[in-house]
Amino acid sequence: MSTETPTIPAETANHVLFHFGYGGYQAGSCIESLITTIDRADEDNRDKLALGFPEYVAAVVAIKYDPNGVANLQRIAGGSA
């Protein structure tokens, strides 16, 4: 995966927050399936998904592996980032 971290839009943050039960709002069925796929993917496949959906992969990785990920995504979702 690229070493550059993509900017996560507020809509993406809201979709990922909702998926993981931290607020936000639900995405449509296609995007919800994409988030589920990213959530379940191993690192190699997640890197492949990042080629087409870098913002969603960055948001899922943040919420799963960054101790401040939820708070950061909530800040982005609220328009504070």
Side-chain angles (χ1 to χ4, degrees):
M1 192 157 91
S2 171
T3 57
E4 294 182 32
T5 303
T7 301
I8 299 170
E11 181 175 54
T12 300
N14 275 294
H15 292 163
V16 172
L17 286 164
F18 183 89
H19 175 82
F20 286 93
Y22 292 103
Y25 52 82
Q26 190 169 17
S29 60
C30 181
I31 296 298
E32 183 58 35
S33 293
L34 172 65
I35 296 167
T36 299
T37 300
I38 296 167
D39 182 21
R40 293 179 179 173
D42 60 33
E43 188 174 356
D44 288 338
N45 286 306
R46 198 170 51 239
D47 288 348
K48 292 173 185 174
L49 289 163
L51 296 173
F53 307 97
E55 298 88 357
Y56 278 98
V57 171
V60 169
V61 167
I63 207 165
K64 288 181 73 169
Y65 303 111
D66 179 352
N68 299 313
V70 172
N72 290 337
L73 289 177
Q74 287 173 331
R75 192 177 68 253
I76 292 167
S80 299

